[in-house]
Each structure stands twice: as structure tokens, then as C-alpha cells.
Coordinates of all heavy atoms in Angstrom, one line a residue:
M1 N 79.2 44.4 160.2 CA 79.3 43.3 159.3 C 79.5 42.0 160.1 O 80.5 41.4 160.2 CB 80.5 43.4 158.4 CG 80.3 44.4 157.3 SD 81.6 44.3 156.1 CE 82.9 45.2 157.0
P2 N 78.5 41.5 160.8 CA 78.6 40.3 161.6 C 79.1 39.1 160.9 O 79.8 38.3 161.4 CB 77.2 40.1 162.2 CG 76.5 41.4 162.1 CD 77.1 42.1 160.9
S3 N 78.6 38.9 159.6 CA 79.0 37.7 158.9 C 80.5 37.7 158.6 O 81.1 36.6 158.5 CB 78.2 37.5 157.6 OG 78.5 38.6 156.7
M4 N 81.1 38.8 158.5 CA 82.6 38.9 158.2 C 83.4 38.6 159.5 O 84.5 38.2 159.4 CB 83.0 40.3 157.7 CG 82.4 40.6 156.3 SD 83.0 39.4 155.1 CE 81.4 38.8 154.5
A5 N 82.8 38.8 160.7 CA 83.4 38.5 161.9 C 83.5 37.0 162.2 O 84.2 36.6 163.1 CB 82.7 39.3 163.0
L6 N 82.8 36.2 161.5 CA 82.8 34.8 161.8 C 84.1 34.2 161.4 O 84.7 34.6 160.4 CB 81.7 34.1 160.9 CG 80.3 34.5 161.2 CD1 79.4 33.9 160.2 CD2 79.9 34.2 162.6
P7 N 84.7 33.3 162.2 CA 85.9 32.7 161.9 C 85.9 31.9 160.6 O 85.0 31.0 160.5 CB 86.2 31.8 163.1 CG 85.2 32.1 164.1 CD 84.1 32.9 163.5
A8 N 86.7 32.3 159.7 CA 86.7 31.6 158.4 C 87.0 30.1 158.5 O 86.4 29.3 157.8 CB 87.8 32.2 157.5
I9 N 87.8 29.7 159.5 CA 88.1 28.3 159.7 C 86.8 27.5 160.1 O 86.6 26.4 159.7 CB 89.2 28.0 160.7 CG1 89.7 26.6 160.6 CG2 88.8 28.3 162.1 CD1 91.2 26.5 160.8
K10 N 85.9 28.2 160.8 CA 84.7 27.5 161.3 C 83.8 27.4 160.1 O 83.1 26.3 159.9 CB 84.0 28.4 162.3 CG 82.9 27.7 163.1 CD 82.5 28.6 164.3 CE 81.5 27.8 165.1 NZ 81.1 28.6 166.3
I11 N 83.7 28.4 159.2 CA 82.9 28.3 158.0 C 83.4 27.2 157.1 O 82.7 26.4 156.5 CB 82.8 29.6 157.3 CG1 82.0 30.6 158.1 CG2 82.1 29.4 155.9 CD1 81.9 32.0 157.6
N12 N 84.8 27.2 156.9 CA 85.4 26.1 156.1 C 85.0 24.7 156.5 O 84.7 23.9 155.7 CB 86.9 26.3 156.1 CG 87.4 27.5 155.3 OD1 86.6 28.2 154.7 ND2 88.7 27.7 155.4
Q13 N 85.1 24.5 157.8 CA 84.8 23.2 158.4 C 83.4 22.8 158.2 O 83.0 21.7 157.9 CB 85.2 23.1 159.9 CG 85.2 21.7 160.4 CD 86.0 20.7 159.6 OE1 87.2 20.9 159.4 NE2 85.5 19.6 159.1
M14 N 82.5 23.8 158.4 CA 81.1 23.5 158.1 C 80.8 23.1 156.7 O 80.0 22.2 156.4 CB 80.2 24.8 158.5 CG 80.1 25.0 159.9 SD 79.2 26.5 160.2 CE 79.3 26.7 162.0
I15 N 81.5 23.8 155.8 CA 81.3 23.5 154.3 C 81.8 22.1 154.1 O 81.2 21.3 153.4 CB 82.0 24.5 153.5 CG1 81.3 25.9 153.5 CG2 82.2 24.1 152.0 CD1 82.0 27.0 152.9
I16 N 83.0 21.8 154.6 CA 83.6 20.4 154.4 C 82.7 19.4 155.0 O 82.4 18.3 154.3 CB 85.0 20.4 155.0 CG1 85.9 21.2 154.1 CG2 85.5 18.9 155.1 CD1 87.3 21.5 154.8
D17 N 82.1 19.6 156.1 CA 81.2 18.7 156.8 C 80.0 18.4 155.9 O 79.5 17.3 155.7 CB 80.7 19.2 158.1 CG 81.9 19.1 159.2 OD1 82.9 18.5 158.9 OD2 81.7 19.8 160.2
Q18 N 79.4 19.5 155.3 CA 78.2 19.4 154.5 C 78.6 18.7 153.2 O 77.8 17.8 152.7 CB 77.7 20.8 154.2 CG 77.0 21.5 155.3 CD 75.8 20.6 155.8 OE1 75.0 20.2 155.1 NE2 75.7 20.5 157.1
L19 N 79.7 19.0 152.6 CA 80.1 18.3 151.3 C 80.4 16.9 151.5 O 80.4 16.1 150.6 CB 81.3 19.1 150.7 CG 81.0 20.4 150.2 CD1 82.2 21.1 149.6 CD2 79.9 20.4 149.1
G20 N 80.7 16.5 152.8 CA 81.0 15.1 153.1 C 79.7 14.2 152.9 O 79.7 13.0 152.7
R21 N 78.6 14.9 152.9 CA 77.3 14.2 152.7 C 76.9 14.1 151.2 O 75.9 13.5 150.9 CB 76.2 15.0 153.4 CG 76.4 15.0 154.9 CD 75.4 15.7 155.7 NE 75.6 15.6 157.1 CZ 75.9 16.7 157.8 NH1 75.8 17.9 157.3 NH2 76.1 16.5 159.1
G22 N 77.6 14.8 150.3 CA 77.4 14.8 148.9 C 77.5 16.1 148.2 O 77.8 17.1 148.9
E23 N 77.4 16.1 146.9 CA 77.5 17.4 146.1 C 76.5 18.4 146.5 O 75.3 18.0 146.8 CB 77.4 17.0 144.6 CG 78.5 16.1 144.1 CD 78.3 15.8 142.6 OE1 77.2 16.0 142.1 OE2 79.3 15.4 142.0
M24 N 76.8 19.6 146.5 CA 75.9 20.7 146.8 C 76.2 22.0 146.0 O 77.3 22.2 145.6 CB 76.0 21.0 148.3 CG 75.6 19.8 149.2 SD 75.5 20.3 150.9 CE 75.1 18.8 151.6
R25 N 75.2 22.8 146.0 CA 75.3 24.1 145.3 C 75.4 25.2 146.4 O 75.2 24.9 147.6 CB 74.0 24.4 144.5 CG 73.9 23.4 143.3 CD 72.8 23.9 142.3 NE 72.8 23.0 141.2 CZ 73.5 23.2 140.1 NH1 74.4 24.1 140.0 NH2 73.4 22.3 139.1
L26 N 75.8 26.4 146.0 CA 76.0 27.5 146.9 C 74.9 27.8 147.8 O 75.1 27.9 149.0 CB 76.4 28.8 146.1 CG 76.6 30.0 146.9 CD1 77.8 29.9 147.9 CD2 76.7 31.2 146.0
L27 N 73.7 27.8 147.3 CA 72.5 28.1 148.2 C 72.3 27.1 149.3 O 72.1 27.5 150.4 CB 71.2 28.3 147.3 CG 70.0 28.6 148.1 CD1 70.1 29.9 148.8 CD2 68.8 28.6 147.2
V28 N 72.4 25.8 148.9 CA 72.3 24.8 149.9 C 73.4 24.9 151.0 O 73.1 24.8 152.2 CB 72.3 23.4 149.2 CG1 72.3 22.3 150.3 CG2 71.2 23.2 148.3
L29 N 74.6 25.2 150.6 CA 75.7 25.3 151.5 C 75.5 26.6 152.4 O 75.7 26.5 153.6 CB 77.0 25.4 150.8 CG 77.5 24.2 150.2 CD1 78.7 24.4 149.2 CD2 77.9 23.1 151.2
T30 N 75.0 27.6 151.9 CA 74.7 28.9 152.6 C 73.7 28.6 153.7 O 73.8 29.0 154.9 CB 74.3 30.0 151.7 OG1 75.4 30.2 150.8 CG2 74.1 31.3 152.5
V31 N 72.6 27.9 153.3 CA 71.5 27.6 154.2 C 72.0 26.7 155.3 O 71.7 26.9 156.5 CB 70.3 27.0 153.5 CG1 69.3 26.4 154.5 CG2 69.7 28.1 152.6
A32 N 72.8 25.7 154.9 CA 73.4 24.7 155.9 C 74.3 25.4 156.9 O 74.2 25.1 158.1 CB 74.1 23.6 155.2
V33 N 75.1 26.4 156.5 CA 76.0 27.1 157.4 C 75.2 28.0 158.3 O 75.4 28.0 159.5 CB 77.0 27.9 156.6 CG1 77.8 28.9 157.5 CG2 78.0 27.0 155.9
R34 N 74.2 28.6 157.8 CA 73.3 29.5 158.6 C 72.6 28.6 159.7 O 72.6 29.0 160.9 CB 72.3 30.2 157.8 CG 71.4 31.1 158.6 CD 70.5 32.0 157.9 NE 71.1 32.9 156.9 CZ 71.7 34.1 157.3 NH1 71.8 34.4 158.5 NH2 72.3 34.8 156.4
K35 N 72.1 27.5 159.3 CA 71.5 26.6 160.3 C 72.5 26.1 161.3 O 72.1 25.9 162.5 CB 70.8 25.4 159.6 CG 69.5 25.7 158.9 CD 68.9 24.5 158.3 CE 67.6 24.8 157.6 NZ 67.0 23.7 157.0
A36 N 73.7 25.8 160.9 CA 74.7 25.3 161.8 C 75.0 26.3 162.9 O 75.3 26.0 164.0 CB 75.9 24.8 161.0
F37 N 75.0 27.6 162.5 CA 75.3 28.6 163.4 C 74.1 28.9 164.4 O 74.3 29.3 165.5 CB 75.7 29.9 162.7 CG 77.1 30.1 162.3 CD1 77.4 30.2 161.0 CD2 78.1 30.0 163.2 CE1 78.7 30.3 160.6 CE2 79.4 30.1 162.8 CZ 79.7 30.3 161.5
G38 N 73.0 28.5 163.9 CA 71.8 28.7 164.7 C 71.7 30.2 165.1 O 72.0 31.0 164.3
G39 N 71.2 30.5 166.2 CA 71.1 31.9 166.6 C 72.2 32.3 167.5 O 72.4 33.5 167.9
S40 N 73.1 31.4 167.8 CA 74.1 31.6 168.8 C 75.2 32.6 168.4 O 75.8 33.2 169.2 CB 74.8 30.3 169.3 OG 75.4 29.7 168.2
E41 N 75.5 32.6 167.1 CA 76.6 33.5 166.6 C 76.1 34.9 166.2 O 76.9 35.7 165.8 CB 77.2 32.8 165.4 CG 77.9 31.4 165.7 CD 79.1 31.5 166.5 OE1 79.8 32.6 166.5 OE2 79.4 30.6 167.2
G42 N 74.8 35.1 166.2 CA 74.3 36.4 165.8 C 74.5 36.7 164.4 O 74.8 37.8 164.0
V43 N 74.4 35.7 163.5 CA 74.6 35.9 162.1 C 73.4 36.6 161.5 O 72.3 36.2 161.7 CB 74.7 34.5 161.4 CG1 74.9 34.7 159.9 CG2 75.9 33.7 162.0
K44 N 73.7 37.7 160.8 CA 72.7 38.5 160.2 C 73.2 38.9 158.8 O 74.4 38.9 158.5 CB 72.4 39.8 161.0 CG 71.8 39.5 162.4 CD 71.5 40.8 163.1 CE 71.0 40.4 164.5 NZ 70.9 41.6 165.3
G45 N 72.3 39.2 158.0 CA 72.6 39.7 156.6 C 73.0 38.6 155.7 O 72.6 37.5 155.8
D46 N 73.8 39.0 154.7 CA 74.1 38.1 153.6 C 75.3 37.2 153.9 O 76.5 37.6 153.8 CB 74.4 38.9 152.3 CG 74.6 38.1 151.1 OD1 74.3 36.9 151.1 OD2 75.1 38.6 150.1
L47 N 75.0 36.0 154.3 CA 76.1 35.0 154.7 C 76.7 34.5 153.4 O 77.8 33.9 153.5 CB 75.5 33.9 155.5 CG 76.4 32.9 156.1 CD1 77.5 33.5 157.0 CD2 75.7 31.8 156.9
S48 N 76.0 34.6 152.3 CA 76.6 34.0 151.0 C 77.9 34.6 150.7 O 78.8 33.9 150.1 CB 75.6 34.2 149.9 OG 75.4 35.5 149.6
T49 N 78.2 35.8 151.0 CA 79.5 36.4 150.7 C 80.6 35.6 151.4 O 81.7 35.3 150.9 CB 79.6 37.9 151.1 OG1 78.5 38.6 150.4 CG2 80.9 38.5 150.8
A50 N 80.4 35.3 152.7 CA 81.4 34.6 153.5 C 81.6 33.2 153.0 O 82.7 32.6 152.9 CB 81.0 34.6 155.0
V51 N 80.4 32.6 152.6 CA 80.5 31.2 152.1 C 81.2 31.1 150.7 O 82.0 30.3 150.5 CB 79.0 30.6 152.0 CG1 79.0 29.2 151.3 CG2 78.4 30.5 153.4
K52 N 80.9 32.1 149.9 CA 81.6 32.2 148.6 C 83.1 32.3 148.7 O 83.9 31.7 148.0 CB 81.0 33.4 147.7 CG 79.7 33.2 147.1 CD 79.3 34.4 146.4 CE 77.9 34.4 146.0 NZ 77.5 35.7 145.3
S53 N 83.5 33.2 149.6 CA 84.9 33.4 149.9 C 85.6 32.1 150.4 O 86.6 31.8 149.9 CB 85.1 34.5 150.9 OG 86.4 34.7 151.3
A54 N 84.9 31.5 151.3 CA 85.4 30.2 151.9 C 85.5 29.2 150.8 O 86.5 28.4 150.7 CB 84.6 29.7 153.0
L55 N 84.5 29.1 149.9 CA 84.5 28.1 148.8 C 85.7 28.4 147.8 O 86.3 27.5 147.4 CB 83.2 28.1 148.1 CG 82.1 27.3 148.7 CD1 80.8 27.6 148.1 CD2 82.4 25.8 148.7
R56 N 85.9 29.7 147.5 CA 87.0 30.0 146.6 C 88.3 29.6 147.2 O 89.2 29.0 146.5 CB 87.1 31.5 146.4 CG 86.1 32.0 145.3 CD 86.4 33.5 144.9 NE 86.3 34.4 146.0 CZ 85.2 35.0 146.4 NH1 84.1 34.8 145.8 NH2 85.3 35.9 147.4
K57 N 88.5 29.8 148.5 CA 89.8 29.3 149.1 C 89.9 27.8 149.2 O 91.0 27.3 148.9 CB 89.9 29.9 150.5 CG 90.1 31.4 150.5 CD 90.1 32.0 151.9 CE 90.2 33.5 151.8 NZ 90.0 34.1 153.1
L58 N 88.8 27.1 149.4 CA 88.8 25.7 149.5 C 89.1 25.1 148.1 O 89.8 24.1 147.9 CB 87.5 25.1 150.0 CG 87.3 25.4 151.5 CD1 85.9 25.1 152.0 CD2 88.3 24.5 152.3
V59 N 88.5 25.7 147.0 CA 88.7 25.3 145.7 C 90.2 25.5 145.3 O 90.8 24.7 144.7 CB 87.8 26.0 144.7 CG1 88.2 25.7 143.2 CG2 86.3 25.5 144.9
S60 N 90.7 26.7 145.6 CA 92.1 27.0 145.3 C 93.1 26.1 146.0 O 94.2 25.8 145.5 CB 92.5 28.5 145.5 OG 92.5 28.8 146.9
S61 N 92.7 25.6 147.2 CA 93.6 24.7 147.9 C 93.4 23.2 147.5 O 94.0 22.3 148.0 CB 93.4 24.8 149.4 OG 92.1 24.3 149.8
K62 N 92.5 23.0 146.5 CA 92.1 21.7 146.0 C 91.5 20.8 147.0 O 91.5 19.6 146.8 CB 93.4 21.1 145.3 CG 93.9 21.9 144.2 CD 95.0 21.2 143.5 CE 95.7 22.0 142.6 NZ 95.7 22.4 141.4
T63 N 90.9 21.4 148.0 CA 90.1 20.6 149.0 C 88.7 20.3 148.5 O 88.2 19.3 148.7 CB 90.0 21.3 150.4 OG1 91.4 21.6 150.8 CG2 89.3 20.6 151.4
V64 N 88.2 21.3 147.7 CA 86.9 21.2 147.1 C 87.0 21.4 145.6 O 87.9 22.1 145.1 CB 86.0 22.3 147.8 CG1 84.7 22.4 147.0 CG2 85.8 22.1 149.2
V65 N 86.1 20.7 144.9 CA 86.1 20.8 143.5 C 84.8 21.5 143.1 O 83.7 21.2 143.6 CB 86.1 19.4 142.8 CG1 86.0 19.4 141.3 CG2 87.4 18.6 143.2
D66 N 84.9 22.4 142.1 CA 83.7 23.1 141.6 C 83.5 22.7 140.1 O 84.4 23.0 139.3 CB 84.0 24.6 141.7 CG 82.9 25.5 141.0 OD1 81.8 24.9 140.7 OD2 83.1 26.7 140.9
V67 N 82.4 22.1 139.9 CA 82.1 21.7 138.5 C 80.8 22.4 138.1 O 79.7 21.9 138.6 CB 82.0 20.2 138.3 CG1 81.6 19.8 136.9 CG2 83.3 19.5 138.7
E68 N 80.9 23.5 137.4 CA 79.7 24.2 137.0 C 78.8 24.6 138.1 O 77.6 24.4 138.0 CB 79.0 23.5 135.8 CG 79.9 23.3 134.6 CD 79.2 22.5 133.5 OE1 77.9 22.4 133.5 OE2 79.9 22.1 132.6
G69 N 79.3 25.1 139.2 CA 78.5 25.5 140.3 C 78.1 24.4 141.3 O 77.3 24.7 142.2
V70 N 78.5 23.2 141.1 CA 78.2 22.1 142.0 C 79.5 21.8 142.7 O 80.5 21.5 142.0 CB 77.7 20.9 141.2 CG1 77.4 19.8 142.2 CG2 76.4 21.3 140.5
Y71 N 79.5 21.9 144.0 CA 80.7 21.7 144.8 C 80.7 20.3 145.4 O 79.7 19.7 145.8 CB 80.8 22.7 145.9 CG 80.9 24.1 145.4 CD1 79.7 24.9 145.2 CD2 82.1 24.7 145.0 CE1 79.8 26.2 144.7 CE2 82.1 26.0 144.5 CZ 81.0 26.7 144.4 OH 81.0 28.0 143.9
S72 N 81.9 19.7 145.5 CA 82.1 18.4 146.1 C 83.5 18.3 146.7 O 84.4 19.1 146.3 CB 81.9 17.3 145.1 OG 82.8 17.3 144.1
L73 N 83.7 17.4 147.6 CA 85.1 17.2 148.1 C 86.0 16.6 147.1 O 85.6 15.7 146.3 CB 85.0 16.3 149.4 CG 84.3 16.9 150.6 CD1 84.3 15.8 151.7 CD2 85.1 18.1 151.1
S74 N 87.2 17.1 147.1 CA 88.2 16.5 146.2 C 88.6 15.1 146.7 O 88.6 14.9 147.9 CB 89.5 17.4 146.2 OG 90.5 16.8 145.5
H75 N 88.9 14.2 145.8 CA 89.4 12.9 146.2 C 90.9 12.9 146.5 O 91.4 11.8 146.8 CB 89.0 11.9 145.2 CG 87.5 11.8 145.0 ND1 86.7 11.2 146.0 CD2 86.7 12.1 144.0 CE1 85.4 11.3 145.6 NE2 85.4 11.8 144.4
Q76 N 91.5 14.0 146.3 CA 92.9 14.2 146.4 C 93.3 14.4 147.9 O 92.7 15.3 148.5 CB 93.4 15.3 145.6 CG 94.7 15.3 145.1 CD 95.0 16.5 144.2 OE1 94.2 17.5 144.2 NE2 96.0 16.5 143.4
K77 N 94.1 13.7 148.5 CA 94.5 13.9 149.9 C 96.0 13.5 150.0 O 96.5 12.6 149.5 CB 93.7 13.2 150.9 CG 92.3 13.7 151.0 CD 92.2 14.7 152.1 CE 90.8 15.3 152.1 NZ 90.5 16.1 153.1

């Protein structure tokens, strides 16, 4: 399971960086994370599971807001 071996904090930061550019959906975030890893991390298989998990944690920590499947950064800091 190479995608599970990826450091969650790295995925979280990539998601936050992408959301800093505007609202996004899961598929766009998954593609952006895969592109950010490039070929250097050996990412194979379904990366969406790791991205979904990271998004759930970011939403529960109120860093990210989920409105009907559209994610954005929380204005709360």
C-alpha cells in the first residue's frame, strides 16, 4: 500500500496549499496531490483514500470547510 505510507502531514499541507488557490472538489485535490508528488514518491494505486482521510481530519479540525462536496479553507484561525 504505497499511498498509505505517504506522510499524512505532507498530504495535509498539499491540500491546504491547493485550497489556498480557491474552492475545490475531491477529484481536483486528488489529482493535484498526485501531481505534487510527481514520480519521486512512488505513488501508485488509489490516492483518493489518503486524500479523503486527510480531508476528514482537516474538516474535523475546522481547518477546512466542506459544503456539499466542495472544500475550502476555513476563515477561522
Side-chain angles (χ1 to χ4, degrees):
M1 287 188 281
S3 64
M4 293 300 123
L6 298 172
I9 194 144
K10 195 169 186 179
I11 292 175
N12 289 355
Q13 190 58 52
M14 287 179 186
I15 290 170
I16 290 168
D17 291 346
Q18 289 299 315
L19 291 175
R21 297 180 179 118
E23 297 178 342
M24 297 189 180
R25 295 190 177 275
L26 175 63
L27 180 60
V28 175
L29 289 169
T30 302
V31 170
V33 168
R34 183 172 299 281
K35 283 183 180 179
F37 276 118
S40 64
E41 299 289 333
V43 178
K44 295 180 183 172
D46 186 14
L47 185 59
S48 65
T49 302
V51 172
K52 284 179 193 175
S53 176
L55 280 168
R56 278 193 301 273
K57 290 176 184 171
L58 289 168
V59 169
S60 71
S61 72
K62 298 185 191 273
T63 303
V64 171
V65 177
D66 174 13
V67 178
E68 297 180 17
V70 178
Y71 298 94
S72 61
L73 290 176
S74 172
H75 297 292
Q76 208 177 16
K77 290 268 174 167

